[in-house]
Amino acid sequence: MKDASPAAAPLEIFLSDYTPPAYLVDTVELVFKLHPTATRVLSKIAFRPNPEATDRTFYLHGEQLKLISATIDGKDANAKITDLGLTAQAPDAPFVFEAEVEISPQTNTALEGLYMSNGMYCTQCEAEGFRKITYYPDRPDVMGVFTVTIEGSEPVKLSNGNDLGGGKWHDPWPKPAYLFALVAGDLVNHPDTFNTMSGKQVELNIWVRKGDLNKCAFGMDALKRSMKWDEEVYGREYDLDLFNIVAVDDFNMGAMENKGLNIFNSSAVLASPETSTDANFERIEAIIAHEYFHNWTGNRITCRDWFQLCLKEGLTVYRDSQFTADERSPAVKRIEDVIALRARQFREDNGPLAHPVRPESFVEINNFYTATVYEKGAEVIGMLKTLIGDEAYYKGCDLYFTRHDGQACTIEDWLACFEEVTGRDLTQFKLWYSQAGTPRVAVKEAWSEGTYTLTFTQDTPPTPGQDVKDPKVIPIAVGLLNDAGEEVHATRICEMTDVVHAFRFTGLDAKPVPSINRGFSAPIILEQDQDNATRAFLLAHDTDPFNKWEAGRALARDVMIRMVTEDATPDQAYLDALLAVARDDTLDPAFKALAFSTPSADDIAQALFDGGVTPDPTKIYNTTQTLRQSVAHAMQDTLPRIYAEMQVDGPFSPDAEAAGKRAWGNVALSLLTRLDGGAQARTQFESADNMTQQLSALGALLRAEVGEEASNAFCEQWKDDRLVIDKWFAMQVSYAKLDAAPATAKALTNHPDFDMTNPNRFRAVFGALAGNTAGFHSPDGSGYALLADWLIKLDAKNPQTAARMSTAFETWKRYDADRQAMMREALERMKAASNLSGDLLEMVTRILNA
């Protein structure tokens, strides 16, 4: 095992140091002789020298492997072995390398490479897990054709590609090792078929444990809709005889796009009305689409190196967002995406973990599976489409697929296709990939004799390693309204390219009300001098759904900040605007539900900090409760009607219309509970026939501190369903009384069903603790100490999950001196822990060095 202790800092790798691989791979033959603690892996790999290489060193990655034998063209390779790999003298001509190694899947708690989950063998090889399976050039620009034989007593044995029978699989499409997959266990399948646009029939399967077969239908339907959508929108057809999905309980991520054999976290594929919420259904639909879309944007065309991670992830996130928007509500999807972007990526961009969409260097690649790579990467694709137009975008995509099929590519390869199609220079646009940070765009208005001018000024603050930023290309969608709320100028894309850029609108009868950055056309922070009357006007009249919601959010944010800083009472204009939204029957119920959500505690804390005020998490929490109570009182005559009208009759359906009604009805229920002491919520909890209604009622009761009996009943009812019990664990911490969250989380770690080695269960407890802002930032520091304790424990078993959850500390410098000191102590204690992994060490060091 490599030495990843603090004393041996991991090596930093730079994009500028990229060199082509010394040897390329043509074919790979693997034989797995499965055993829980002594699996034998036999490899036979056909290598050839790379004519583009400048170095002829034959080096194969390998970690935690017991080498039995290694030969080159049948002769002893005389290999030199280190903790990180194997070196040997290779001929300057094609040759065959063969090796036999032994590995222990059962003790592999890192869930990287080949491991076991409740008796099932499974793999996770992205980013660098294959090197824990056998010796191999484990880099994405080395692609080969794999043939795999699996030997063992397990009734189901799966790998990539087409089934040759007898546990043997062949994938005809060259792939890098990170896309290799193997699953073996006692599984059952939910089968179906799909006919492609060329008339080929593809066999489909979702493989699960026997008790989960009744939770596969929605996932299969989502898969078939994804396949059809990708044909119709992008012209991409599936290319193998079958497509398999496997549900695995112990999995670090949501899912993995391995060619022809997608491996999913069980929570991202299993669904039923009784056990899954509407949010679960939508998430499952999106993740299934995302992993399927990777077949072309990630598999058929992959990354040259891990610095290009956004090439596949940003593009595929954008594609799955398009799919969800088409399947559900484009406006609601866009709002949900921006809420997530601001909560995760803006926070990342604004702190010690800020990095470009395409980083210039990394220490542990696992730490760059971030919101910046995924979500901001998707926003960059969206901006490109906005700038060049739909027709040119899809024409450029077609050129990219045709030109680079079967290749490992770079961002430059991707952008070159659009430069060729459009004839425009995208050099400045490329800064979105190389510069970290969220641009701040200030706007000033001017009006004179029928001409209205908007002058924008852009500034991107310094981020770690990047003090000076060049101006970016920023597409800002602008529409203009008159005093009556009528649109007097349709949406125009103002393409900002300079630090200061003015745009004029002529021929107007009166000074308009601007609607700026419509549809969130660019991922920026808009600094606009706008009073609450204007915000209320836009909330009532803006024709752009996103900006209608944005106006309400800005109004709520201003109200909350004044309540925190000035002890102001809730603004009547805000309450009146919400009432107007509630009464507008032309609005989508799902939109209304989003309009009634208040800005998060983290959002308010950052706004206060940006304004020079040290945020107090307890005061923010109390302010949020006061505002919600005021909304409930202001709407008390309307809530019963809303709640009654939003009840969905008939069998449960996860479609957008029904889900929207439930969402709006449950907002009404939450507010009603503040007035009736939980009477309606108890009725809904007891009568609910689906998880959305039952969990919403339980949440309302817990928030009102009258939910203990219902919580116990819920736990007893669902004690045998691991995914539902994950929800129960999370709710105990999320809805814990003020400052009681750390003690609640600590008590749950003693619960017989708590298992720190299961990422879902660990995240349910400690992800909920980090998300409970007032609880995590308890004045006594108990939240910080508890999370640090458990991250140190987890790091010894699962470094990836520990490192990702350490981001709870990334905002430590925004708080008061006492909290800062306690968070610093927790971070220093983690950094000083013995045998700390490189994953967690890097994250803690970056956070401390802010």
Side-chain angles (χ1 to χ4, degrees):
M1 180 182 292
K2 66 179 179 179
D3 182 2
S5 67
L11 181 68
E12 187 170 8
I13 300 170
F14 293 87
L15 171 60
S16 58
D17 291 339
Y18 171 83
T19 56
Y23 293 87
L24 301 175
V25 169
D26 289 320
T27 61
V28 182
E29 297 178 33
L30 299 173
V31 177
F32 287 81
K33 299 181 178 182
L34 298 177
H35 184 280
T37 58
T39 289
R40 290 291 177 101
V41 183
L42 287 72
S43 60
K44 183 177 182 181
I45 308 167
F47 284 98
R48 57 185 165 87
N50 183 2
E52 297 182 6
T54 57
D55 181 14
R56 277 286 177 265
T57 301
F58 182 63
Y59 177 78
L60 304 181
H61 300 96
E63 297 180 22
Q64 301 172 31
L65 307 174
K66 179 181 177 182
L67 179 64
I68 308 301
S69 65
T71 65
I72 292 178
D73 286 338
K75 298 179 181 179
D76 190 333
N78 294 315
K80 296 180 180 179
I81 307 297
T82 70
D83 289 344
L84 300 178
L86 173 155
T87 306
Q89 187 68 41
D92 192 19
F95 64 94
V96 174
F97 173 84
E98 296 182 75
E100 182 174 359
V101 302
E102 183 176 288
I103 56 178
S104 176
Q106 187 166 282
T107 58
N108 180 7
T109 59
L111 313 184
E112 187 180 37
L114 178 65
Y115 66 93
M116 300 194 76
S117 173
N118 296 326
M120 179 200 309
Y121 291 89
C122 54
T123 57
Q124 172 54 34
C125 293
E126 187 176 359
E128 297 176 341
F130 193 78
R131 62 190 61 185
K132 295 182 178 180
I133 292 175
T134 193
Y135 288 102
Y136 196 80
D138 190 8
R139 44 188 289 172
D141 56 351
V142 176
M143 305 169 72
V145 174
F146 280 64
T147 302
V148 178
T149 302
I150 308 169
E151 299 177 2
S153 60
E154 291 69 25
V156 174
K157 294 182 276 288
L158 308 171
S159 191
N160 307 88
N162 294 320
D163 186 359
L164 302 182
K168 191 169 185 176
W169 294 79
H170 176 70
D171 184 355
W173 301 100
K175 65 174 177 287
Y178 84 85
L179 290 170
F180 171 77
L182 179 152
V183 172
D186 188 8
L187 303 171
V188 291
N189 67 313
H190 177 99
D192 208 328
T193 58
F194 178 81
N195 292 320
T196 69
M197 58 186 181
S198 65
K200 173 181 165 183
Q201 187 176 83
V202 179
E203 177 187 340
L204 310 176
N205 293 290
I206 296 180
W207 295 91
V208 297
R209 299 184 186 280
K210 291 178 181 177
D212 293 327
L213 202 53
N214 63 329
K215 298 179 182 179
C216 299
F218 179 79
M220 182 61 76
D221 178 63
L223 173 60
K224 294 177 72 172
R225 285 185 283 116
S226 302
M227 298 175 80
K228 187 173 188 294
W229 184 91
D230 209 18
E231 290 183 344
E232 293 176 346
V233 177
Y234 280 86
R236 299 300 102 195
E237 183 175 359
Y238 188 62
D239 52 10
L240 289 169
D241 296 336
L242 77 166
F243 187 90
N244 287 316
I245 289 175
V246 182
V248 177
D249 286 350
D250 301 289
F251 203 71
N252 282 332
M253 295 175 283
M256 179 60 206
E257 70 267 19
N258 317 295
K259 183 73 176 179
L261 178 58
N262 286 188
I263 299 179
F264 274 64
N265 187 312
S266 296
S267 67
V269 68
L270 301 180
S272 72
E274 297 79 17
T275 61
S276 306
T277 65
D278 287 323
N280 294 147
F281 278 103
E282 184 174 344
R283 176 175 179 262
I284 287 167
E285 181 180 77
I287 292 177
I288 285 176
H290 179 95
E291 305 308 334
Y292 174 74
F293 297 155
H294 264 312
N295 188 60
W296 276 92
T297 50
N299 296 2
R300 287 282 287 263
I301 305 176
T302 192
C303 304
R304 186 196 71 177
D305 52 71
W306 288 121
F307 296 100
Q308 319 297 328
L309 183 59
C310 59
L311 176 68
K312 73 182 185 77
E313 294 301 348
L315 177 55
T316 306
V317 169
Y318 181 71
R319 279 160 35 82
D320 80 55
S321 292
Q322 286 183 290
F323 170 75
T324 300
D326 286 350
E327 294 290 303
R328 293 177 178 268
S329 163
V332 169
K333 173 59 176 171
R334 189 62 183 139
I335 293 167
E336 290 174 343
D337 283 349
V338 174
I339 290 173
L341 183 80
R342 286 171 168 163
R344 298 173 56 211
Q345 199 281 318
F346 275 27
R347 169 172 161 155
E348 195 167 84
D349 249 354
N350 200 44
L353 302 179
H355 61 86
V357 172
R358 181 172 68 177
E360 294 297 320
S361 68
F362 64 77
V363 175
E364 291 288 347
I365 185 56
N366 289 328
N367 289 337
F368 275 102
Y369 283 75
T370 63
T372 297
V373 168
Y374 280 67
E375 277 72 32
K376 189 173 182 178
E379 293 295 321
V380 175
I381 302 297
M383 284 189 291
L384 175 64
K385 185 168 178 283
T386 296
L387 288 167
I388 67 175
D390 289 1
E391 182 179 353
Y393 170 75
Y394 288 111
K395 189 176 180 181
C397 287
D398 287 341
L399 178 59
Y400 174 69
F401 293 132
T402 301
R403 176 177 292 171
H404 296 295
D405 188 12
Q407 297 178 12
C409 295
T410 65
I411 289 299
E412 286 75 14
D413 295 323
W414 162 256
L415 292 179
C417 293
F418 296 92
E419 289 183 321
E420 183 171 326
V421 164
T422 63
R424 70 179 283 170
D425 184 349
L426 294 174
T427 301
Q428 186 183 15
F429 179 79
K430 190 178 151 187
L431 291 174
W432 281 102
Y433 286 103
S434 60
Q435 290 188 172
T438 305
R440 272 69 169 168
V441 177
V443 58
K444 291 186 178 180
E445 305 174 60
W447 166 254
S448 177
E449 299 179 351
T451 298
Y452 178 70
T453 304
L454 288 173
T455 301
F456 296 102
T457 303
Q458 63 168 296
D459 174 64
T460 304
T463 54
Q466 289 186 337
D467 292 332
V468 179
K469 308 297 173 76
D470 294 322
K472 295 183 175 72
V473 180
I474 304 178
I476 305 173
V478 176
L480 304 178
L481 306 174
N482 64 19
D483 290 342
E486 299 166 334
E487 192 159 289
V488 294
H489 198 293
T491 300
R492 167 185 169 187
I493 302 299
C494 298
E495 186 175 329
M496 187 180 187
T497 56
D498 299 317
V499 172
V500 180
H501 207 143
F503 300 91
R504 291 174 177 81
F505 301 81
T506 59
L508 301 171
D509 295 331
K511 182 182 178 182
V513 178
S515 171
I516 302 174
N517 206 31
R518 285 184 153 185
F520 203 68
S521 57
I524 60 175
I525 294 174
L526 184 65
E527 298 174 349
Q528 185 177 10
D529 186 12
Q530 193 177 66
D531 58 29
N532 282 350
T534 303
R535 291 169 180 145
F537 172 84
L538 289 171
L539 177 58
H541 299 291
D542 203 326
T543 54
D544 180 73
F546 175 81
N547 270 12
K548 178 186 282 287
W549 170 83
E550 179 80 311
R553 175 188 171 276
L555 185 56
R557 192 162 165 261
D558 180 76
V559 168
M560 292 181 70
I561 289 172
R562 287 190 290 108
M563 289 175 69
V564 170
T565 59
E566 304 170 14
D567 292 324
T569 57
D571 193 317
Q572 189 60 45
Y574 172 64
L575 300 177
D576 290 344
L578 286 185
L579 189 58
V581 168
R583 289 172 173 168
D584 187 346
D585 293 335
T586 66
L587 295 176
D588 183 348
F591 174 88
K592 293 183 181 183
L594 290 170
F596 268 69
S597 63
T598 52
S600 70
D602 189 75
D603 186 2
I604 298 300
Q606 185 63 47
L608 290 167
F609 182 76
D610 290 343
V613 177
T614 301
D616 179 346
T618 301
K619 192 165 187 178
I620 293 172
Y621 173 86
N622 291 330
T623 294
T624 302
Q625 300 313 308
T626 298
L627 181 59
R628 288 174 176 164
Q629 192 71 30
S630 297
V631 172
H633 282 291
M635 303 234 349
Q636 57 185 324
D637 295 334
T638 310
L639 292 173
R641 176 184 63 80
I642 295 171
Y643 179 77
E645 290 178 350
M646 291 300 109
Q647 298 312 298
V648 181
D649 297 327
F652 177 89
S653 171
D655 68 87
E657 181 180 359
K661 286 184 176 181
R662 282 189 290 270
W664 180 219
N666 285 324
V667 168
L669 177 69
S670 178
L671 294 170
L672 274 172
T673 304
R674 294 177 177 274
L675 305 176
D676 69 2
Q680 188 63 61
R682 287 190 190 91
T683 299
Q684 178 168 308
F685 178 82
E686 293 167 1
S687 63
D689 64 355
N690 64 79
M691 183 54 63
T692 299
Q693 297 301 82
Q694 188 178 29
L695 206 65
S696 295
L698 177 58
L701 293 169
L702 290 172
R703 188 181 294 110
E705 300 183 8
V706 293
E708 183 176 356
E709 182 179 346
S711 179
N712 292 337
F714 184 90
C715 184
E716 178 63 24
Q717 179 184 357
W718 297 109
K719 62 184 179 182
D720 295 325
D721 190 301
R722 60 201 183 281
L723 297 181
V724 177
I725 291 300
D726 283 339
K727 295 177 172 65
W728 179 84
F729 269 89
M731 293 188 78
Q732 305 312 298
V733 183
S734 296
Y735 292 108
K737 293 180 181 179
L738 189 61
D739 298 339
T744 302
K746 185 175 182 179
L748 286 170
T749 62
N750 294 317
H751 192 284
D753 290 331
F754 178 75
D755 177 7
M756 69 175 294
T757 65
N758 179 267
N760 289 351
R761 191 58 48 89
F762 191 90
R763 285 188 289 256
V765 174
F766 290 104
L769 175 61
N772 185 331
T773 304
F776 179 61
H777 293 287
S778 178
D780 64 1
S782 57
Y784 313 142
L786 180 67
L787 182 57
D789 288 344
W790 279 93
L791 290 181
I792 292 170
K793 293 178 186 178
L794 182 66
D795 184 64
K797 296 180 178 294
N798 188 335
Q800 279 191 42
T801 299
R804 286 172 185 162
M805 295 199 68
S806 69
T807 58
F809 291 96
E810 69 182 312
T811 60
W812 68 283
K813 284 198 171 180
R814 73 157 71 131
Y815 294 101
D816 58 83
D818 288 344
R819 286 185 170 93
Q820 282 194 39
M822 290 184 287
M823 279 190 272
R824 175 180 278 280
E825 190 280 329
L827 288 162
E828 294 284 8
R829 185 157 54 85
M830 285 190 282
K831 185 178 180 180
S834 60
N835 299 314
L836 198 70
S837 73
D839 301 64
L840 186 54
L841 173 62
E842 182 195 10
M843 295 297 284
V844 169
T845 301
R846 288 168 65 195
I847 293 170
L848 276 169
N849 290 342

